[in-house]
Amino acid sequence: MHALWISELGLLIVWTIPHFLLAIAIGGSVDRADPLSVAAMQPRRRSPAFAMPSLSFVLLCGLLAVLWLAGGGSRADVLGQVIVRSVAWLSLILAILLAPKPSFANAKPLWLLLGGGILLVVIQLVPLPPALWHALPGRMPFADALGSDPQQWRPWSLVPGATFNALHSLIVPLVVLVLASGASDQERAHLPAILLGLIFASMLYGLFQFSGGVLSNPLINDTIGQISGNFANRNHFALFLAFGCALAPVWALGGRAHPGWRGPVALGLMVLFALTILATGSRAGLALGLLGLLAGIMLVWRDLKRVLARAPRWVLPTLIAAFVAMIAIFVLMSVAADRAVAINRALATEAAEDMRSRGLPTVLSMIKTYFPFGSGFGDFDPIFRIHEPFHLLKFTYFNHAHNDFLEIILDSGLAGALMLLGALGWLAFAGVRALRARRIGGSALPMLGSVLLLLVVLASVVDYPARTSMMMAVVVLAGLWLHGNGSVRQSALPGQDQHL
């Protein structure tokens, strides 16, 4: 059975890869109805055979490639952080000196949210007068250990080095936002395909690990034997693949008159992404992957019905049933071959034995101790060790709260909670607006951005995906799509040529 599973998966890969590489190779030279192609943006004029890309777009593509290679970890001491942040700073300097000024008007919510987050971290590093510092909640135990100089001015954060690292990590989303805002609409139209290509490459890396190949990435703190692709955490890798499940149908069908060869390629990619999620062993990824598949189909439901408008009525439900059956068959084969690690872990692990649930009371107690000012960004690990009860002690350490919403409130108190509510409120408002626009024939890209951000939000309930540099970049791109910057504007008639 195991040999049969491998052979079937091999046939699927052999069928999918050449078509997808063809898609990347010919890029935007497809029919004019494609809203993500250059041709769709200039339907009444012949585009030149080759247009020189802007410096902002070149720098953005280079940064995304570096993030794919070295941006899959969140720990401050991994080598990849040095490379990623150095490239980000270099890209920012080049963009300031040589690239056109980025457009701030088209992404105001993102600039406000990111700017507010950076400002809050900076404030936590400003030294405070001794009397004010001692008045902050939870500081008295540390005041007794200050030694001979209790009158020294100290920053809000209890671990300033960790907070400075958190501040430095924000250079990545800032540079991605600057470069994406500085690129043209035509160039930003290629970003969904570029992101799908990165997810595809990550999947290939994961399949290599799944086949037994050993290739340790020295730039991240990956675990040998764990199927985590280019990420240090298999949950983050599974979330990245879930992005692909939602993105592939939009890439193939979003606003396109005829999907052509992209249809079967997208179908194959969705199956491969789903199977690779099963192999990761991520229980959260299992749910996110299913949600990504359903969301991807719903995003292109109008386009699918339009493409099959002349076909008999039984064709559409038959195609959906066949797709569901194919996924189910491959899942059953994975379970029978004992390769569906995520399902096995979900069935074998009890919630009471999970460190997330066991550590939750301690995390809630810590929030109460340091509220409403928080303990400081990035200092969860050392602060948790101070509060950690004896029954939770073990040879491994609890690096994060595994609930990013609680950890943000612990780090920043009331200010972080308000910013979090503001971000979620904007996501809900913009998501509803994108949904209404989609229902009357608007682009699928804003809704895709909403779905990707929703997946990150759901994953953050049990994990910390947005703390990795690669995920930070995806969050920024998804936010741009949701806000409508670089997305397809609503056309008067379904199927009519659309402009960015």
Side-chain angles (χ1 to χ4, degrees):
M1 179 63 72
H2 178 71
L4 177 61
W5 193 94
I6 295 295
S7 63
E8 293 288 345
L9 182 59
L11 288 175
L12 188 59
I13 295 174
V14 169
W15 171 56
T16 304
I17 289 179
H19 291 83
F20 187 69
L21 293 179
L22 177 62
I24 299 298
I26 66 176
S29 55
V30 293
D31 67 75
R32 292 182 176 181
D34 179 12
L36 304 182
S37 67
V38 178
M41 290 172 272
Q42 296 178 344
R44 293 177 178 83
R45 293 182 299 175
R46 297 190 63 180
S47 301
F50 177 78
M52 184 66 69
S54 67
L55 178 60
S56 295
F57 185 68
V58 172
L59 292 174
L60 178 59
C61 291
L63 179 58
L64 290 176
V66 172
L67 290 175
W68 184 95
L69 181 64
S74 60
R75 276 175 42 175
D77 58 348
V78 295
L79 180 60
Q81 301 288 16
V82 178
I83 296 175
V84 165
R85 296 173 187 180
S86 298
V87 172
W89 276 109
L90 178 60
S91 301
L92 180 61
I93 293 172
L94 291 176
I96 293 174
L97 295 177
L98 303 175
K101 181 180 178 180
S103 174
F104 296 95
N106 292 333
K108 285 184 179 179
L110 299 179
W111 286 108
L112 291 174
L113 290 171
L114 183 56
I118 293 175
L119 179 61
L120 182 57
V121 182
V122 169
I123 292 175
Q124 290 190 345
L125 292 172
V126 176
L128 301 176
L132 181 57
W133 187 87
H134 284 76
L136 296 178
R139 265 57 177 184
M140 289 308 298
F142 301 94
D144 297 336
L146 291 179
S148 59
D149 191 9
Q151 298 302 314
Q152 181 179 355
W153 287 40
R154 298 183 181 276
W156 175 349
S157 172
L158 289 172
V159 189
T163 304
F164 181 79
N165 173 70
L167 175 63
H168 199 190
S169 70
L170 295 178
I171 186 62
V172 173
L174 176 63
V175 174
V176 171
L177 183 55
V178 168
L179 297 178
S181 299
S184 66
D185 289 344
Q186 290 86 348
E187 291 168 336
R188 282 195 296 268
H190 292 291
L191 290 176
I194 292 173
L195 178 58
L196 185 60
L198 294 175
I199 298 172
F200 177 74
S202 186
M203 180 208 68
L204 292 181
Y205 192 179
L207 290 179
F208 175 77
Q209 295 172 330
F210 175 78
S211 66
V214 178
L215 182 61
S216 178
N217 187 347
L219 304 179
I220 60 174
N221 55 311
D222 57 346
T223 303
I224 301 298
Q226 187 178 100
I227 301 173
S228 56
N230 57 315
F231 289 87
N233 187 311
R234 59 184 165 193
N235 294 322
H236 303 166
F237 176 47
L239 174 62
F240 201 52
L241 295 174
F243 291 161
C245 292
L247 178 55
V250 177
W251 169 77
L253 277 170
R256 183 183 299 274
H258 301 286
W261 49 267
R262 291 196 183 196
V265 171
L267 179 64
L269 288 176
M270 294 169 71
V271 174
L272 286 174
F273 292 153
L275 291 178
T276 310
I277 290 174
L278 285 176
T280 62
S282 171
R283 291 166 291 172
L286 195 63
L288 295 173
L290 178 60
L291 182 60
L293 286 172
L294 295 176
I297 294 174
M298 294 306 298
L299 286 175
V300 297
W301 187 254
R302 291 174 57 92
D303 302 290
L304 194 59
K305 291 176 65 176
R306 174 173 46 80
V307 170
L308 300 176
R310 297 183 179 180
R313 292 185 177 180
W314 56 265
V315 172
L316 180 57
T318 302
L319 287 177
I320 298 298
F323 174 73
V324 173
M326 181 171 58
I327 292 289
I329 290 173
F330 276 110
V331 169
L332 292 175
M333 292 175 63
S334 300
V335 173
D338 197 24
R339 307 302 288 179
V341 184
I343 294 179
N344 295 338
R345 290 186 71 239
L347 297 176
T349 304
E350 296 182 2
E353 299 175 355
D354 197 331
M355 185 61 186
R356 291 178 176 87
S357 58
R358 294 176 60 204
L360 180 60
T362 304
V363 173
L364 294 176
S365 175
M366 293 166 61
I367 292 175
K368 183 178 179 181
T369 299
Y370 297 104
F371 198 82
F373 295 98
S375 60
F377 280 105
D379 61 4
F380 178 85
D381 176 24
I383 299 300
F384 182 81
R385 297 189 191 196
I386 296 174
H387 296 267
E388 186 175 16
F390 285 106
H391 70 273
L392 291 182
L393 292 176
K394 56 180 182 177
F395 290 106
T396 58
Y397 71 101
F398 199 43
N399 61 339
H400 287 285
H402 289 80
N403 183 319
D404 239 4
F405 301 105
L406 293 181
E407 188 165 345
I408 289 174
I409 297 174
L410 171 62
D411 291 344
S412 55
L414 181 61
L418 293 177
M419 286 198 61
L420 205 56
L421 288 176
L424 294 176
W426 172 76
L427 173 59
F429 173 79
V432 171
R433 181 185 61 187
L435 178 60
R436 290 175 177 174
R438 181 60 176 162
R439 285 178 175 175
I440 57 176
S443 170
L445 205 52
M447 276 303 300
L448 174 63
S450 177
V451 168
L452 298 188
L453 291 177
L454 178 61
L455 291 175
V456 174
V457 168
L458 295 177
S460 298
V461 175
V462 294
D463 211 67
Y464 48 96
R467 295 180 184 267
T468 63
S469 299
M470 184 71 242
M471 289 296 181
M472 290 181 187
V474 175
V475 167
V476 171
L477 295 179
L480 285 171
W481 296 339
L482 174 58
H483 186 61
N485 184 19
S487 65
V488 182
R489 302 301 181 188
Q490 179 185 336
S491 61
L493 296 173
Q496 180 181 341
D497 287 342
Q498 298 170 325
H499 300 263
L500 293 180

